[in-house]
Amino acid sequence: MQFGFLLEQVVNGLVLGGYYLLIALGLSLIFSVGGIVNLAHGAFYALGAYISVEITKYLGFGSAVVLSPVAVALLGILFERFILRRFYDADPILSLLVTFALTMVTEQAIRIIWGAPPISAAIPQALRGSVFLGDFLFSRYRLLILAVVAVVLLGVWLLLHKTSFGRVVRAGIQRPDMVAALGIRLQPYMTAIVMLGVGMAALGGAFFAPITIVHPAMGAEIITVAFVVVVIGGLGSFWGVVIAALLVGVVRGITIHFAPAAGEASIYVLMFLVLMVRPRGLLGERIEKFE
Amino acid sequence: MTRFSRRTLLKAGAAFAGVSAIGSPAIVRAQAARIKIGHLVPLTGFLGAIGSYAQLGVKMAAEEINASGGIIGKQIDLMSEDSVNPATASTKAQRMIEQDGAVLLFGEISSASSLTIMQVAERNKKVFFSTGARSDALRGKDCNRYSFHCDIPNTVMVNAVGTALKQKGMVKGKKFVTLTADYIFGHDLLKAAKAFFSANEATLIGDELIATDVTDFSPYLLKVRQAKPDVVCCNLAGNQVTNLVKQYAEFGFPYPLIGFNLNTGDAWAMGEGNLSGTWPTVWYHTLDNPASKTFVDAFSKKYGKPPENHAWIEYITLKMIAQAITETKSTESDALIAYFEKQAQFDIMKARKAYFRSWDHQLVQEAYPFTVKPKGEMKDKWDMLVLGEAVPAAGADLETIYPTKAQNPCNMKA
């Protein structure tokens, strides 16, 4: 009996972890390629949520979860072209400050456009309720999120490992100078990676808008967890981030099952333990920019 | 040429300095003729959403008072800031009194922050009106002479909903699971809920304390299902309530969800078809009386949305303060306390007038249970609640739903 419920928590944790993954993977990619810790990542997540709620009003939820990430990815082009590009070779402190400032600007912009009180959003009726597998229970909506995350994950992996685009990006991560020497401009690749990263964050925002509160500071809430995931997984490691995200979700679920009060603290304890044993994170490589 | 223009500049500078030298005493006098009032409310964090309504309410009240000539001929200088958390709240309260010259303070939603401001108020012998904090302890064991409490306490919210639930046969012999906010307010509300359950033969079979920064409730919901209760009871606060209700609807459990605390701002943020069950409220913009309607019209016209209960409570509190200063012709703490302790009556836009009880400084007023309107019947997205009959029932003594002297361990030092 107890085991069954525990397994339920594990599966639920995996789903939640999958959702963290959407946000953390983009963060990790942008860091790997550009060496930029994008504190504004949460702001794109919030924009994704707000824009999807707007689109849902006119075109329905299905269109919203597609169009909102696309719209935010397009904003990502501007973000890369006019802001990030200036900081690839600069002191990391500068990019931290700039992206942090952008977070505040975006949050304020959201307040001006949509107002400070949260806006309302709901799941379409068809996606509500739980699915039972024997005595096992899953939220129908979260299963959908899990499926979407799996597809996105597969897509990103294929893009990075099976296409020429991915080869250049991976080479750019390892040896940017060598790529440059071969006459390949990394610039357009960087634009594409930023688009992809912030688009994924927006996708996360669009999917979570119906089940969490949509308010101007929502980005700041998610960015903390995303950072914990990236740090546990190891900056710049694809599978590290995947494993860390799932681990964070599962550890949180199990902790809440046994010791509810420690639920939120559990992921920080996990981060602490991992960093004690492996300061670079689970699968992290040596980080030249920082070491 | 250069010298000439420089000389002109110097002259202009001297002239400007002269003007400001003459002008400044006038400015100082004008400042002295203003009444400075400090207002604190959380604009960030899990209570920030409803705090933003509170700030709109207080701004409107101050503008109205100033437009009609101020209080005893003086304009109000309202200092309204984000209290963020208990530590910041007390620091800002201290600064408003010591450096900014606030004659009194009011505001706050978080019971934890309110408690720290109450201590600052007592130390500095300045009056503080706690507008939105609901913990019983604040007007109970932690009460002090300088603090007044405008919102209904937890016990009243439990009584308001409990009475409605009893009428529906949802209490006696039923198994409850509670989800409770893990800070002073939640602990306090749980205590009131437990007292209610045991007095009405209901059993509490599960009880989860939930940190205020939790946004995903799915692991807790799985535990709720494990407990298989008859009724799930939400003792959360602010954003937490919104998130829980949304995710509760997502999982689609068969157990009815009710709650002993809800602010309408949080209900509005939930989205269509998510909220159900019975909840308490202290005020709602559809209340049918002329004063309330005038206020709602003015607020909606000004801000493009109806006032939330925190907008209302800040508005009436500043108006009560204005009334007290006008009547006593004083901003001295002792004069104001004496005025309120006389149990002066205030029109707070409800059927019955309200007053501060002299011995625990609680604003005694009606409360209401509410249920949710069926989807087709809502006029707009704000029109989602159906108010139940006011508690206590018409004709009954208002104090019957408030903790009695025996139940409320308030002992004020003179």
Side-chain angles (χ1 to χ4, degrees), chain A residues 41-83:
Chain A
H41 214 62
F44 290 104
Y45 161 84
L47 277 178
Y50 271 92
I51 294 174
S52 80
V53 174
E54 274 316 309
I55 297 177
T56 304
K57 278 186 205 157
Y58 303 102
L59 300 171
F61 181 72
S63 313
V65 290
V66 176
L67 294 180
S68 158
V70 170
V72 173
L74 295 177
L75 277 178
I77 299 182
L78 301 178
F79 172 54
E80 198 277 338
R81 173 68 187 78
F82 292 104
I83 300 175

Side-chain angles (χ1 to χ4, degrees), chain A residues 5 8-9 12 117-118 120-122 128-130 135 137 139 142 209-213 221 252 256-257 260 264, chain B residues 49 208 213-216 218-220 222-223 225-226 239 243 246-247 250-251 268-274 305:
Chain A
F5 285 123
E8 213 169 70
Q9 289 286 13
N12 185 63
S120 68
R128 287 187 190 200
S130 304
D135 195 40
L137 171 138
S139 145
R142 279 174 210 237
I211 53 174
T212 53
I213 187 162
E221 281 168 9
R252 183 171 174 270
I256 286 174
H257 189 80
E264 293 310 285
Chain B
E208 304 288 335
D213 55 353
V214 170
T215 51
D216 174 70
S218 58
Y220 298 98
L222 294 177
K223 289 189 82 179
R225 187 180 79 99
Q226 184 181 355
N239 284 356
N243 279 327
K246 279 178 136 182
Q247 288 162 31
E250 176 206 342
F251 275 82
W268 291 335
M270 283 170 191
E272 222 170 63
N274 285 332
K305 59 189 167 207

Side-chain angles (χ1 to χ4, degrees), chain A residues 118-134:
Chain A
I119 59 172
S120 68
I123 313 177
Q125 209 61 42
L127 295 171
R128 287 187 190 200
S130 304
V131 180
F132 284 91
L133 260 161

Side-chain angles (χ1 to χ4, degrees), chain A residues 19-30:
Chain A
Y19 157 71
Y20 291 151
L21 182 59
L22 274 185
I23 294 120
L25 194 57
L27 193 65
S28 178
L29 273 176
I30 293 173

Side-chain angles (χ1 to χ4, degrees), chain B residues 57-225:
Chain B
V58 68
K59 261 170 66 186
M60 194 171 123
E63 283 169 22
E64 281 183 16
I65 292 168
N66 283 342
S68 64
I71 319 175
I72 48 172
K74 297 173 183 174
Q75 294 280 298
I76 295 180
D77 240 354
L78 185 73
M79 301 174 275
S80 185
E81 292 185 26
D82 182 357
S83 52
V84 188
N85 56 39
T88 310
S90 65
T91 312
K92 286 192 174 177
Q94 184 75 33
R95 194 206 63 214
M96 282 174 165
I97 293 173
E98 274 188 350
Q99 291 176 24
D100 305 338
V103 296
L104 59 86
L105 302 174
F106 77 114
E108 203 46 62
I109 296 172
S110 158
S111 292
S113 299
S114 206
L115 184 58
T116 63
I117 303 177
M118 282 171 62
Q119 288 155 357
V120 172
E122 188 178 28
R123 258 202 321 272
N124 293 279
K125 300 197 177 349
K126 293 282 182 215
V127 178
F128 166 54
F129 287 84
S130 168
T131 50
R134 291 172 173 170
S135 171
D136 283 306
L138 301 184
R139 51 278 266 174
K141 71 174 169 53
D142 296 322
C143 74
N144 72 48
R145 184 168 173 256
Y146 293 92
S147 304
F148 291 81
H149 308 275
C150 307
D151 211 335
I152 45 176
N154 285 342
T155 301
V156 172
M157 294 196 296
V158 171
N159 286 342
V161 172
T163 310
L165 290 179
K166 275 199 283 190
Q167 285 161 4
K168 293 179 187 164
M170 282 174 71
V171 184
K172 198 175 170 183
K174 300 291 180 190
K175 289 179 289 181
F176 280 78
V177 162
T178 52
L179 300 164
T180 302
D182 196 0
Y183 75 112
I184 174 177
F185 162 78
H187 300 174
D188 200 316
L189 187 55
L190 180 62
K191 215 171 109 191
K194 279 180 174 165
F196 174 78
F197 293 145
S198 59
N200 291 283
E201 296 169 58
T203 30
L204 185 63
I205 56 166
D207 161 37
E208 304 288 335
L209 282 179
I210 301 176
T212 54
D213 55 353
V214 170
T215 51
D216 174 70
F217 288 83
S218 58
Y220 298 98
L221 292 178
L222 294 177
K223 289 189 82 179
V224 165
R225 187 180 79 99

